[in-house]
Amino acid sequence: TPARADEALVVAGPSDPQLGSLFAFRAGNYPWIWGVFEPLIKIDEKGKVQPNVASRWTLSSNKLTMTLFLKRGITFHNGKKLTAEDVKYSIEQAALATNGSQLGFIARSFASVDAVTDGKLVINFGAPTSNIFDLLSIMPIMPKNSYPETKLGKTVIGSGPFTWESWTPGAQVVIKKYPKYRDAARINLSQITVRIITNASAQLTALKSGAIDLAFGLSTVDAYALRNDANYKLIYAGGAIVPLGLDTSKAPFNNIKVRQAVGYAIDKNRINKQVFSDTGLETSLFWAPRESGYPKALQDAYTYNPTKAKALIAEAGAAGAEFDLQTLNLPANAALVEIVANNLRDIGLKPNVRVLDVTAWDAKQVAGDIANAFIPYHGQYGLNAATLLNSLATLRVEKGTTKFATAEYVKLRNAVAAAATSGAKEKALNNLSKFMVEQAFAMPIVMAPSMFVHSKKLTGVEFGELGHTFWNSAKLG
Amino acid sequence: MTLLEVSDLTTVFHLPTGDIRAVNRVSFTLQKGEVMGIVGESGSGKSVTARSLMRMVRHPGEIVSGKVLLNGVDLLTLPENEMRTIRGRQIAMVFQDPQATLNPVHTIGAQISEALIVHGASKDDARKRALELLAQVGIPNPESSYERYPHELSGGMRQRVVIAIALANKAELLIADEPTTALDVTIQAQILQLLLQLRDSLGISIIMITHDMGVIAEICDKTLVMYGGRVVESGKVSEIFNKPLHPYTAALLSTVPRISSDRSEELVAIPGSPPDPANLPKGCTFSPRCSFAESACMNSVPNLIQISESGYSACFVREKELNIDFRPSVSRKKKREKQIGSDSILSVSDVFVDVGSKRKGLFGSKSPAVNAVAGLSLEIKPGETLGLVGESGCGKSTLSRAIVGINRFTAGKCVIAGRDVTQMSGDNRQWVSSNVQYVFQDPFASLNPRRTIAQSIGEALTVAGVAASDVEKRAAALMERVGLDPKYLDRFPYAFSGGQRQRIGIARALAANPKILILDEPVSALDVSIQAQIINLLQELRDDLGLAFLFIAHDLSVVRHLSDRVAVMYLGKIVEIGSADDIYDNPKHPYTKALLASSPEPEVNQKKDMSPALQGSIPSPAQPPSGCRFRSRCPIGPLHVANRSICETQEPGFESINDAHMAACHFLLESKK
Amino acid sequence: MKSRAASRYLQAFKTPVGLISTLSIVALTSLAFLAPVIFPNGYDQQSANSLLGPSLKNPLGTDDLGRDIFTRVVYGLRSDLTLVYIAVPISLVIGTFLGLIGMISNFLGNLSMRLMDFIIGFPALILAISITVVLGTGFTALLVSIIILGTPGVARLARSTMLEQEQREYVIAARVLGISKWKILFRHILPNIMDPLIAQGAILVVVAIFIESGMSIIGLGLQPPAPSLGVLLNNSMRFIIEYPTFVIGPVVALVSLTLAFGKLADALNATVVRK
Amino acid sequence: MIFSSIAVFLLPRLAPGDPALAIAGGDATEEAIAEIRETLGLDRSLVEQYWVWITGVFRGDFGDSYLYRLPVSELISGRFQSTIELAVSATIFLIIFGVGMGVLGGTTRSRKVKSVLDVVVSFLLSTPPFLIGIVLIILLGVVWQVLPISGEVNFIDDPATGFKYLLLPSFALSLSSSAVVARLIQTQMISVRGEDFVDLAKAKGVPPSRIAFRHVLRNSLGASIVAVGLQVGHLLSGTIIIESLFARNGLGSLTINAVLTRDYLVLQAVVLFAIAIAIAIQLISEILLAALDPRVRLGSE
Ligand SMILES: Nc1ncnc2c1ncn2[C@@H]1O[C@H](COP(=O)(O)OP(=O)(O)OP(=O)(O)O)[C@@H](O)[C@H]1O
Ligand SMILES: Nc1ncnc2c1ncn2[C@@H]1O[C@H](COP(=O)(O)OP(=O)(O)OP(=O)(O)O)[C@@H](O)[C@H]1O
Ligand SMILES: [Mg+2]
Ligand SMILES: [Mg+2]
């Protein structure tokens, strides 16, 4: 069916597009990026890799070479053909530190990338790279040498179903249907306007008053409250890992007993209920349950057990220990830290809570030194374990915020990254997870899904694992 | 023919603390074309009476009884909208302060026209009539003046505008509430003459409110004397002044010094102070201060009784003794002879004081020098009193403030007790404050309301170097010295009357044992009955302590009473200086003559020529006229006499008339009137 | 002296408005500072019973973390009052000092006025946010913001009343007596400018509470779990549609506090300052 | 102004973190941050950075936003209209409500009207503007849904709709300020009522309504202008919260964002701009004052 003229959609985005960070995870880009750009592959809800720009791929038996075959007939919005050279360029951009991609380390680990023909690309890994699809699924393909121009926001050229029409900073981004899209006939929406509404309650009122059809930045509570409303549909997609990190280099958390006590002290269930409206996953692991080799048995290693926690504290002689507990100024974290602090006080510790503004927090996180205890927010739920181990400052070895870098830990991490078979992976992950649970330097509290609410008028929206949105089959009415 | 008949008018202010009977059973009649005065001290109910006639008493006042018959119609029973047609059309009013009675944001023309427009005139007619009125009240260039704003006019001119407004609708009755009190004598003379002229040409009746017996004597046919809200006497001016029928009137008449009176005696002061309207004495309100009072006076209130054809009095004593003469017969203390030294204790020579504000304006321009004192010299000898007179704004205060170091001399020399103190710094300041002290005009403003009298005086004693242990004793002594009970030391200023505060101000000035007192209009804010007390006190102190005074005042008769020598100041300069007798009896400078001619005297038997001696008002010190500063107003100057261009080009120097008597005029010998 | 000052202020308190506002302030203040006595368990008693409606046990219901809202409102009041009772006097002292410094040195006086002009010219909220970002969210940042934003008004008022006082005859009389500038300042000028400054202080309280709540609304208020009225307001706003009862407590407390201080300022201005 | 520019330059730089972090995010490595810092020129000395900036300002070049990589002047001019629309309409409401309530309070004799007004004004004075905004949103936008509460429509493109979108935010913004103005005008009018020239007018026979307007109000206008001028300054500062509440994309939200992301150049320019506007408002009120009051007119010549 041809698209009707009135199929213009208005959605609310939480912040301006960040064109300088197209290769990173940025909420401001989620609503529109897969309208304008396309990734090589997609990962569906079940974690299965689906072809997209890449129609198929092969992996050499030593797992060190990957060959990608591109779909034919894809053109960029400027009319040029999409070739392997463009893909190579995009990978190079992802690798650049200045482009800030959390997964840049994967691209940087490649030994070489060769555009063999227009439609064929060969990547030589330095070492087996099991998390390659994480990178490929979040990496937009752009014409060779176009990124500097793209960053200026005037001409943004991709190959997606929509073209970049205009951006009024602070106000809105408009993308229009690309008539020459290879699948143009199946695209229903004629235009998507992303209105930038930073205030969460303003998004809610906008949604309720019918000014927008989809809200990307609702608070969990607001979104969850709409779950039973006949006019709206609640979508869970992607999400965040909200762990409690402990600085193992300083008292009191240089004592493993104290760390474990903390693990038992936290009332994950109440946190999940009161902060995440019971939509989160209470877990002791960083990995998503769909991860291959997921050590399900360890998921509930730490459950709420204040008695045990107190006993451990007493054993460690740490009762009354005073320390800083910091987090960053996001609504969920600000509420969560209160419960955590309350829990810790209950077992006789004395946390001093500080909530930092986001940039100040980032400065500390990058420097790898936050506080004795801290609660970060990692919006990377669902990525590969091997990816997370490097992309999360909490788990990193180098400049890791927990300052936990024992030889044992390094060894177990490397084993996960190097695991070539699923059996090996399961074993390595199990060993690592066991070790992490025991050492208790970084303890996930809740895996919180991102929640998006759209009006029932809107159908067919497809959400990627991190909350990126695919509009190809979206429809209004 | 009777125009206005008021009977038993009573106005009450309802205050939370109780009712105040500000006007109490006031009755009088006014004939067409008559000028009636209402005289009385502050708070006696003059203004409230006037406002009651207009039905314009301010909240929380209320007219509780009485009749106000205007041409037989009782104004008090008219509905408000009818009353409005009477205001401005049949009765018009002129208020005291011309600075405040004109709306600053409308042109004077518009304000005059408004008076006509609200009573039905068309805009064009109103404008025509307004121009006519401007000419009638003597405002030059009516056409261009019409478009001017009040702040562009001098005080005298503004009062003329107010009068023009009052005349706009040819009202039959004009009520003037102290129309000249805020003005200089020279301007007062102009305004009073204007009112008389208007009475003669238009035949209107005037009610003239004043506290100045001189004004009554000058222009009124008959008068009411009010005291404590009541009329205590009324009658023809000529009769009242010759034979007062009430002891208060008599006392009032003898308490004011006259230019011509005997200066060798102390003034007759009325003891005590005017009654507090909120707390009136039980019987006759004047009884506590009356030297004739009997027991009846203390217990019941006398009625106003007709005594003669036109004379009424409210006095029990007068009722009994028909021929009693209330004029004080007590022999007064003679002034003592005093010693005047020969070296000067204060001398200023050729001093300049710049008061031009140095603040930058909106566009950052620096204002040019404004010399309020410009090349002035004078000296005072120990024990001597130098009177300084001149119109408002001539620089009297500026000079005296510069002497004590509040303003800076920009040029010239100032020597005090043998020390050059032109530059005020450290030691000099100390020297000055121990030699010269200041008594201010406004007794309400010169005492810190937050400090007790003991603190105020104690502070002065401490800086004067009195040991802490002695302070209390000395303060008590000072209080006694100025005639106050030392037990009042612990009170705050608000507990004292104006006269008492002025005594305290004097006590504070004496704390430093100064040799010179500068008295900047120390009595002009006081009621006449209190003035005499303070003048007597000052005189006594001066003679006892051998003080030298620089005595500044508007009132020429007061200055003569107290001064040995008198200096006449005009626009920052001395124009004539000499012994008091020389200046008053043999004035040489045309300005001095004009000042003297303008001063009203409470004498009915020798009415003066009322043609005002001076036109216009004092120029601004920012743009003084070239040559002789007085030439722009001088009756013998270039504006009135031909071929006197010398006055415009050359500044006159002093010429001696005798040893001490000097004047600065190019045409001193001219003896025009 | 003291008794007279007291009696002047008593006059303000005798007017119905003055009386009611003073009583409210006293009541709110004592409630706030007795909070630890009334609620010895503190303001952070979390439980699983979140977002309950009003009941006997929780007169205003519970918040999202299952804490009694009434308790938190009282403690919030305490935070706000602590903040203003520290910040406002400091503002008054610094402002008065900066306003009066002109009497001692013309140069310093002009300098301090330029500084005040600068602060006034700076958009208030941006200044407060910047200060908060520099100092880190929390009590100190609020305190500093309130002091910095409140001082210019006080300084200007102090200066203008000082300039007016300087022309008063009793001040001139003191100068003629040879009394030193400092003594004149402390004995004559300061006592006479206290009244408008105290009234200004009451207005500053209102401004301070506005700043506190405004900053909290954009998430830059006190550090959790300490409650303040603004923090509670911000918190309750998130639930305003689902749990509108949450918002009642903070709003009533905030408005009655500002209303009481605003009316107190009115009463002071009407009786004490006018004189 | 130079002093302001230095303060504006230094203040945000005292805060922890810098724009490179906002660009790279908290998961980036230190090396990446350092590299970004270098490309942005943030590694240069403060003096140098200040010099580059201030000389640019004098040339009319405010630099590029670190975050958006767009010229700051473009960012500001893009948002300017929204804020100006809001500020102007709020100012109009401020004048209507403030002067209206003030004049009513200053002229009415009815005790009832006076006390109702007093209650309204007192409440408005003690309620922070954002709270008024929230109440308006809930009542008129959510419960009754009579007015749009979110977003904006360019007033010039579509005046009617644009105006509807402006109504609530400008109400919220102006109400408490208008209470301040009303209070001031009322006291001013009451004090002018006690002036002698009002008595003279009454003595002329001028009817009360004419006295109220020609004499009392006319002489209270000066004070009102000063008050309105001051309040307009407050309004501008208030736009910051109101804009975010009503999802308007004006300078206010740009500014908050600039502070939080340390987008120094944007912040610097906005503050300079705000100071310039404050000066302009003061000039305008002085000019108006001079036009209204002949005494001032003379004084400034
Ligand atoms: N608005 C008012 N409120 C309360 N009392 C008033 C008011 N106006 C006048 N009075 C009282 O009425 C008394 C008489 O006042 P009035 O103004 O008539 O005096 P006056 O004779 O005109 O004095 P002055 O020479 O000072 O003008 C005052 O002492 C005062 O107590
Ligand atoms: N601070 C000032 N700024 C500007 N002009 C001033 C200042 N002080 C005084 N003047 C001007 O200086 C002139 C002299 O003032 P001064 O007060 O000395 O007069 P005066 O003779 O004492 O008058 P009055 O009899 O009214 O007390 C006046 O024209 C006055 O306007
Ligand atoms: Mg009077
Ligand atoms: Mg004087």
Side-chain angles (χ1 to χ4, degrees), chain D residues 151-252:
Chain D
E152 60 194 303
V153 165
N154 191 321
F155 187 75
I156 294 172
D157 297 348
D158 182 354
T161 323
F163 182 66
K164 266 200 219 153
Y165 276 83
L166 274 173
L167 266 179
L168 282 186
S170 37
F171 270 17
L173 195 52
S174 60
L175 277 177
S176 47
S177 288
S178 68
V180 178
V181 172
R183 181 54 72 82
L184 204 124
I185 293 182
Q186 185 176 349
T187 19
Q188 181 70 16
M189 282 184 77
I190 288 170
S191 93
V192 170
R193 238 169 221 292
E195 296 274 349
D196 284 1
F197 60 76
V198 175
D199 277 341
L200 180 69
K202 198 169 176 200
K204 282 195 259 185
V206 180
S209 60
R210 192 177 162 109
I211 291 189
F213 283 92
R214 237 181 107 79
H215 296 277
V216 179
L217 183 58
R218 184 67 174 70
N219 276 283
S220 312
L221 280 183
S224 330
I225 284 171
V226 174
V228 169
L230 269 179
Q231 288 306 316
V232 169
H234 288 209
L235 284 189
L236 285 175
S237 177
T239 55
I240 293 180
I241 291 181
I242 293 294
E243 279 180 359
S244 94
L245 215 53
F246 287 89
R248 294 180 62 87
N249 297 292
L251 288 174

Side-chain angles (χ1 to χ4, degrees), chain A residues 16 21 26 97-98 102 151-152 154 167 169-171 195-196 199 205-206 357 359-360 362-363 365-366 380 396 399, chain D residues 16 21-28 30 32 35-36 68-70 74-75 79 149-151 244-245 247 249 260 262:
Chain A
D16 266 306
S21 308
R26 281 293 187 276
T98 47
Q102 287 93 334
K151 283 179 179 174
L152 297 179
K154 290 278 174 342
W167 170 33
R195 280 197 32 213
I196 294 141
N199 183 310
T205 49
D357 80 283
T359 309
D362 284 352
Q365 183 167 303
V366 167
Q380 301 172 28
R396 273 204 296 249
K399 299 252 174 193
Chain D
L21 279 162
I23 291 170
D27 293 317
E30 273 195 319
E35 238 181 290
I36 296 177
Y68 296 120
R69 317 218 169 175
L70 292 174
E74 204 174 291
L75 275 176
R79 306 271 193 118
I149 48 177
S150 169
S244 94
L245 215 53
N249 297 292
L260 295 180
R262 315 287 190 269

Side-chain angles (χ1 to χ4, degrees), chain A residues 119-134:
Chain A
K120 183 174 160 193
L121 184 87
V122 175
I123 303 173
N124 290 304
F125 304 140
T129 306
S130 58
N131 50 5
I132 177 71
F133 294 113
D134 282 343

